[in-house]
Amino acid sequence: MERAIGGRTTYGHELGILMLDTRFPRIPGDIGNALSFPFPVLYRIVEGASPRRVVEEADPSLLEPFVAAAKELEKAGARAITTSCGFLALFQRELSAAVQVPLFSSSLMQIPLLYEIFGRRGRAGVLTARSSSLGERHFSACGASGVPRLVAGMDDSPLFTRIFLEKGEPGAIPEFDIGEMEKEVVYAALGLVARDPTIPFIVLECTNMPPFREAIRRATGKPVFDIMTLALGIREGLAGTGGYPCRG
């Protein structure tokens, strides 16, 4: 006999996503676009968590609202939780300790594993939204402090910075040419590889970059990993393990 067990209002959410409070477009492939996933996801926006406060200021006062939102996602039935900004790696330990489901804050958490499986050779390549803001604290929180790495950022990329770091005209509705954005991201990735052609792989810190993963891979010839590769892998590992509303 199969029984349906309740306790919540909605069901079937395989992944909960903690979202920054933004207004820019999120195209398919971006973690903030639900069409990026082949399974149901559930979003919670943390009000006031702007790219400036998270990326540039690393505002510690945001920890409490992110913890509260993570607990809301867990209560709503999310079987795992992630975020829409790799810089939230700073909160990894506190966030994961606050909930009983797996929580992974940043694509940077893949770096130690990738370094091992690529033979501990060379330096991990990291492409980030803002290299001037990405520091040792972020890597340490991901367990990657001992991994040699080479970091490149989008700091000097005008379109990317205007859109995803919200440096445009206040009040204007953000929009961008997808082809032009791809060119900027690929150019930065090529610059990273030019600095060290021996890097074995590239990790994209920014969750707005996965739509351009294939273009980066084609241009650089390097394996590319991001928040989507991490999320899909974790979901696959959780498949078939409880959390469903119906049980035999």
Short mmCIF file of all heavy atoms in Angstrom, two decimals, residues 92-133:
data_model
loop_
_atom_site.label_atom_id
_atom_site.label_comp_id
_atom_site.label_asym_id
_atom_site.label_seq_id
_atom_site.Cartn_x
_atom_site.Cartn_y
_atom_site.Cartn_z
N GLN A 92 29.68 29.61 4.28
CA GLN A 92 29.44 28.18 4.08
C GLN A 92 29.23 27.43 5.40
O GLN A 92 28.25 26.70 5.57
CB GLN A 92 30.61 27.55 3.31
CG GLN A 92 30.59 26.03 3.25
CD GLN A 92 29.37 25.46 2.55
OE1 GLN A 92 28.87 26.04 1.60
NE2 GLN A 92 28.88 24.30 3.00
N ARG A 93 30.13 27.58 6.32
CA ARG A 93 30.06 26.78 7.55
C ARG A 93 28.83 27.12 8.37
O ARG A 93 28.16 26.23 8.90
CB ARG A 93 31.34 26.95 8.35
CG ARG A 93 32.53 26.28 7.65
CD ARG A 93 33.85 26.57 8.26
NE ARG A 93 34.92 26.01 7.42
CZ ARG A 93 36.09 26.59 7.23
NH1 ARG A 93 36.36 27.72 7.82
NH2 ARG A 93 37.00 26.01 6.47
N GLU A 94 28.53 28.39 8.49
CA GLU A 94 27.36 28.80 9.28
C GLU A 94 26.07 28.37 8.61
O GLU A 94 25.13 27.90 9.29
CB GLU A 94 27.37 30.31 9.49
CG GLU A 94 28.50 30.84 10.34
CD GLU A 94 29.77 31.13 9.55
OE1 GLU A 94 29.84 30.75 8.36
OE2 GLU A 94 30.70 31.71 10.13
N LEU A 95 26.00 28.51 7.29
CA LEU A 95 24.78 28.13 6.59
C LEU A 95 24.54 26.63 6.64
O LEU A 95 23.43 26.17 6.89
CB LEU A 95 24.85 28.60 5.13
CG LEU A 95 24.72 30.10 4.88
CD1 LEU A 95 25.00 30.43 3.43
CD2 LEU A 95 23.33 30.59 5.26
N SER A 96 25.58 25.85 6.38
CA SER A 96 25.40 24.40 6.36
C SER A 96 25.07 23.86 7.75
O SER A 96 24.35 22.87 7.89
CB SER A 96 26.64 23.70 5.79
OG SER A 96 27.78 23.99 6.58
N ALA A 97 25.60 24.53 8.79
CA ALA A 97 25.31 24.09 10.16
C ALA A 97 23.89 24.43 10.58
O ALA A 97 23.36 23.83 11.52
CB ALA A 97 26.30 24.73 11.13
N ALA A 98 23.26 25.37 9.88
CA ALA A 98 21.93 25.85 10.28
C ALA A 98 20.80 24.96 9.78
O ALA A 98 19.67 25.09 10.23
CB ALA A 98 21.72 27.27 9.78
N VAL A 99 21.09 24.07 8.82
CA VAL A 99 20.05 23.22 8.24
C VAL A 99 20.48 21.76 8.29
O VAL A 99 21.66 21.45 8.51
CB VAL A 99 19.74 23.64 6.78
CG1 VAL A 99 19.13 25.03 6.73
CG2 VAL A 99 21.00 23.58 5.92
N GLN A 100 19.52 20.86 8.06
CA GLN A 100 19.78 19.43 8.12
C GLN A 100 19.93 18.81 6.73
O GLN A 100 20.17 17.60 6.62
CB GLN A 100 18.65 18.73 8.88
CG GLN A 100 18.49 19.21 10.31
CD GLN A 100 19.75 19.01 11.13
OE1 GLN A 100 20.34 17.92 11.14
NE2 GLN A 100 20.19 20.05 11.82
N VAL A 101 19.78 19.62 5.68
CA VAL A 101 19.96 19.12 4.32
C VAL A 101 21.30 19.61 3.79
O VAL A 101 21.86 20.58 4.31
CB VAL A 101 18.81 19.58 3.40
CG1 VAL A 101 17.49 19.02 3.88
CG2 VAL A 101 18.75 21.11 3.32
N PRO A 102 21.86 18.97 2.76
CA PRO A 102 23.12 19.43 2.20
C PRO A 102 23.02 20.87 1.71
O PRO A 102 22.04 21.25 1.07
CB PRO A 102 23.38 18.47 1.04
CG PRO A 102 22.58 17.25 1.36
CD PRO A 102 21.36 17.75 2.08
N LEU A 103 24.02 21.67 2.02
CA LEU A 103 24.06 23.06 1.56
C LEU A 103 25.45 23.36 1.03
O LEU A 103 26.45 23.18 1.73
CB LEU A 103 23.71 24.02 2.70
CG LEU A 103 23.56 25.50 2.29
CD1 LEU A 103 22.54 26.21 3.17
CD2 LEU A 103 24.90 26.26 2.34
N PHE A 104 25.50 23.82 -0.22
CA PHE A 104 26.77 24.17 -0.85
C PHE A 104 26.65 25.59 -1.38
O PHE A 104 25.81 25.90 -2.21
CB PHE A 104 27.15 23.18 -1.95
CG PHE A 104 26.06 22.88 -2.94
CD1 PHE A 104 26.07 23.42 -4.22
CD2 PHE A 104 25.02 22.02 -2.61
CE1 PHE A 104 25.08 23.14 -5.13
CE2 PHE A 104 24.00 21.72 -3.51
CZ PHE A 104 24.04 22.29 -4.78
N SER A 105 27.49 26.46 -0.87
CA SER A 105 27.33 27.89 -1.11
C SER A 105 27.99 28.39 -2.38
O SER A 105 27.63 29.44 -2.89
CB SER A 105 27.90 28.68 0.07
OG SER A 105 29.30 28.38 0.21
N SER A 106 28.99 27.66 -2.89
CA SER A 106 29.82 28.22 -3.95
C SER A 106 30.41 27.15 -4.85
O SER A 106 30.77 26.06 -4.39
CB SER A 106 30.97 29.02 -3.31
OG SER A 106 31.86 29.53 -4.29
N SER A 107 30.56 27.47 -6.12
CA SER A 107 31.24 26.58 -7.06
C SER A 107 32.69 26.36 -6.67
O SER A 107 33.32 25.37 -7.07
CB SER A 107 31.16 27.14 -8.47
OG SER A 107 31.83 28.39 -8.56
N LEU A 108 33.26 27.27 -5.89
CA LEU A 108 34.66 27.17 -5.48
C LEU A 108 34.89 25.93 -4.63
O LEU A 108 36.05 25.48 -4.48
CB LEU A 108 35.08 28.41 -4.70
CG LEU A 108 34.97 29.75 -5.44
CD1 LEU A 108 35.34 30.89 -4.52
CD2 LEU A 108 35.84 29.76 -6.69
N MET A 109 33.83 25.34 -4.07
CA MET A 109 33.97 24.15 -3.25
C MET A 109 34.46 22.96 -4.08
O MET A 109 34.92 21.95 -3.52
CB MET A 109 32.66 23.82 -2.57
CG MET A 109 32.19 24.93 -1.63
SD MET A 109 30.64 24.54 -0.79
CE MET A 109 31.22 23.31 0.37
N GLN A 110 34.39 23.04 -5.40
CA GLN A 110 34.88 21.96 -6.27
C GLN A 110 36.39 21.94 -6.40
O GLN A 110 36.97 20.94 -6.83
CB GLN A 110 34.25 22.10 -7.66
CG GLN A 110 32.75 21.94 -7.68
CD GLN A 110 32.14 22.34 -9.02
OE1 GLN A 110 31.78 21.49 -9.83
NE2 GLN A 110 32.02 23.63 -9.24
N ILE A 111 37.05 23.04 -6.06
CA ILE A 111 38.48 23.18 -6.34
C ILE A 111 39.33 22.07 -5.70
O ILE A 111 40.16 21.46 -6.39
CB ILE A 111 38.98 24.58 -5.93
CG1 ILE A 111 38.39 25.63 -6.87
CG2 ILE A 111 40.52 24.65 -5.96
CD1 ILE A 111 38.72 27.06 -6.49
N PRO A 112 39.18 21.77 -4.39
CA PRO A 112 40.03 20.71 -3.82
C PRO A 112 39.86 19.36 -4.51
O PRO A 112 40.84 18.65 -4.76
CB PRO A 112 39.59 20.66 -2.35
CG PRO A 112 38.97 21.98 -2.08
CD PRO A 112 38.32 22.39 -3.37
N LEU A 113 38.61 18.99 -4.81
CA LEU A 113 38.36 17.73 -5.49
C LEU A 113 38.98 17.72 -6.88
O LEU A 113 39.65 16.75 -7.27
CB LEU A 113 36.85 17.48 -5.59
CG LEU A 113 36.42 16.28 -6.45
CD1 LEU A 113 36.95 14.99 -5.86
CD2 LEU A 113 34.90 16.24 -6.57
N LEU A 114 38.76 18.78 -7.64
CA LEU A 114 39.30 18.84 -9.00
C LEU A 114 40.82 18.79 -8.99
O LEU A 114 41.44 18.14 -9.84
CB LEU A 114 38.80 20.10 -9.70
CG LEU A 114 37.30 20.14 -9.99
CD1 LEU A 114 36.89 21.53 -10.45
CD2 LEU A 114 36.93 19.11 -11.05
N TYR A 115 41.43 19.48 -8.04
CA TYR A 115 42.89 19.48 -7.95
C TYR A 115 43.42 18.06 -7.73
O TYR A 115 44.42 17.65 -8.33
CB TYR A 115 43.33 20.40 -6.81
CG TYR A 115 44.83 20.56 -6.69
CD1 TYR A 115 45.59 21.08 -7.74
CD2 TYR A 115 45.49 20.21 -5.50
CE1 TYR A 115 46.97 21.24 -7.62
CE2 TYR A 115 46.86 20.38 -5.37
CZ TYR A 115 47.59 20.88 -6.43
OH TYR A 115 48.95 21.04 -6.30
N GLU A 116 42.71 17.29 -6.91
CA GLU A 116 43.12 15.91 -6.66
C GLU A 116 42.93 15.05 -7.90
O GLU A 116 43.83 14.29 -8.27
CB GLU A 116 42.31 15.33 -5.49
CG GLU A 116 42.65 15.91 -4.14
CD GLU A 116 44.05 15.56 -3.67
OE1 GLU A 116 44.58 14.51 -4.12
OE2 GLU A 116 44.61 16.32 -2.88
N ILE A 117 41.76 15.13 -8.52
CA ILE A 117 41.50 14.22 -9.63
C ILE A 117 42.28 14.59 -10.89
O ILE A 117 42.44 13.76 -11.79
CB ILE A 117 39.99 14.09 -9.93
CG1 ILE A 117 39.41 15.40 -10.46
CG2 ILE A 117 39.24 13.64 -8.69
CD1 ILE A 117 37.94 15.29 -10.83
N PHE A 118 42.77 15.83 -10.95
CA PHE A 118 43.64 16.21 -12.06
C PHE A 118 45.12 16.03 -11.70
O PHE A 118 46.00 16.59 -12.34
CB PHE A 118 43.37 17.66 -12.49
CG PHE A 118 42.18 17.80 -13.40
CD1 PHE A 118 40.91 17.96 -12.89
CD2 PHE A 118 42.33 17.75 -14.78
CE1 PHE A 118 39.80 18.08 -13.72
CE2 PHE A 118 41.23 17.87 -15.63
CZ PHE A 118 39.96 18.03 -15.10
N GLY A 119 45.38 15.22 -10.67
CA GLY A 119 46.74 14.80 -10.37
C GLY A 119 47.57 15.78 -9.58
O GLY A 119 48.80 15.67 -9.56
N ARG A 120 46.93 16.76 -8.93
CA ARG A 120 47.66 17.76 -8.13
C ARG A 120 48.75 18.44 -8.94
O ARG A 120 49.82 18.76 -8.43
CB ARG A 120 48.26 17.11 -6.86
CG ARG A 120 47.24 16.51 -5.94
CD ARG A 120 47.88 15.87 -4.73
NE ARG A 120 48.58 16.85 -3.91
CZ ARG A 120 48.01 17.60 -2.97
NH1 ARG A 120 46.71 17.48 -2.72
NH2 ARG A 120 48.72 18.46 -2.26
N ARG A 121 48.45 18.65 -10.22
CA ARG A 121 49.42 19.30 -11.10
C ARG A 121 48.94 20.69 -11.50
O ARG A 121 47.75 20.90 -11.73
CB ARG A 121 49.64 18.46 -12.36
CG ARG A 121 50.43 17.18 -12.13
CD ARG A 121 50.69 16.45 -13.43
NE ARG A 121 49.46 15.87 -13.97
CZ ARG A 121 49.01 14.65 -13.69
NH1 ARG A 121 49.71 13.88 -12.86
NH2 ARG A 121 47.90 14.19 -14.23
N GLY A 122 49.87 21.63 -11.59
CA GLY A 122 49.55 22.97 -12.04
C GLY A 122 48.72 23.75 -11.04
O GLY A 122 48.64 23.41 -9.86
N ARG A 123 48.09 24.80 -11.55
CA ARG A 123 47.28 25.67 -10.71
C ARG A 123 45.82 25.62 -11.15
O ARG A 123 45.52 25.52 -12.34
CB ARG A 123 47.78 27.12 -10.82
CG ARG A 123 49.16 27.34 -10.26
CD ARG A 123 49.53 28.81 -10.26
NE ARG A 123 49.86 29.28 -11.60
CZ ARG A 123 50.19 30.56 -11.88
NH1 ARG A 123 50.22 31.46 -10.90
NH2 ARG A 123 50.49 30.91 -13.11
N ALA A 124 44.92 25.69 -10.18
CA ALA A 124 43.51 25.76 -10.49
C ALA A 124 43.21 27.12 -11.11
O ALA A 124 43.58 28.16 -10.56
CB ALA A 124 42.68 25.57 -9.22
N GLY A 125 42.55 27.12 -12.24
CA GLY A 125 42.15 28.38 -12.87
C GLY A 125 40.79 28.80 -12.35
O GLY A 125 39.86 28.00 -12.31
N VAL A 126 40.67 30.05 -11.92
CA VAL A 126 39.42 30.56 -11.37
C VAL A 126 39.04 31.84 -12.10
O VAL A 126 39.84 32.79 -12.17
CB VAL A 126 39.54 30.86 -9.86
CG1 VAL A 126 38.23 31.43 -9.33
CG2 VAL A 126 39.93 29.61 -9.09
N LEU A 127 37.84 31.86 -12.65
CA LEU A 127 37.30 33.07 -13.28
C LEU A 127 36.19 33.60 -12.39
O LEU A 127 35.23 32.89 -12.09
CB LEU A 127 36.76 32.76 -14.68
CG LEU A 127 36.33 33.97 -15.52
CD1 LEU A 127 37.52 34.91 -15.77
CD2 LEU A 127 35.75 33.51 -16.85
N THR A 128 36.34 34.84 -11.93
CA THR A 128 35.42 35.40 -10.96
C THR A 128 34.83 36.72 -11.43
O THR A 128 35.39 37.38 -12.32
CB THR A 128 36.14 35.63 -9.61
OG1 THR A 128 35.25 36.23 -8.67
CG2 THR A 128 37.35 36.54 -9.78
N ALA A 129 33.74 37.11 -10.83
CA ALA A 129 33.10 38.37 -11.18
C ALA A 129 33.99 39.56 -10.82
O ALA A 129 34.00 40.57 -11.54
CB ALA A 129 31.76 38.49 -10.47
N ARG A 130 34.74 39.43 -9.74
CA ARG A 130 35.56 40.56 -9.27
C ARG A 130 36.77 40.02 -8.52
O ARG A 130 36.67 39.67 -7.35
CB ARG A 130 34.72 41.48 -8.38
CG ARG A 130 35.41 42.74 -7.91
CD ARG A 130 34.45 43.58 -7.09
NE ARG A 130 35.13 44.67 -6.40
CZ ARG A 130 35.35 45.88 -6.90
NH1 ARG A 130 34.94 46.16 -8.12
NH2 ARG A 130 35.96 46.81 -6.19
N SER A 131 37.91 39.98 -9.19
CA SER A 131 39.10 39.40 -8.57
C SER A 131 39.60 40.23 -7.41
O SER A 131 40.19 39.69 -6.46
CB SER A 131 40.21 39.24 -9.62
OG SER A 131 40.57 40.49 -10.18
N SER A 132 39.36 41.53 -7.43
CA SER A 132 39.83 42.38 -6.35
C SER A 132 39.08 42.13 -5.05
O SER A 132 39.53 42.56 -3.98
CB SER A 132 39.70 43.86 -6.74
OG SER A 132 38.36 44.20 -7.04
N SER A 133 37.95 41.43 -5.12
CA SER A 133 37.17 41.13 -3.92
C SER A 133 37.29 39.69 -3.47
O SER A 133 36.86 39.34 -2.36
CB SER A 133 35.68 41.44 -4.17
OG SER A 133 35.48 42.82 -4.40
#
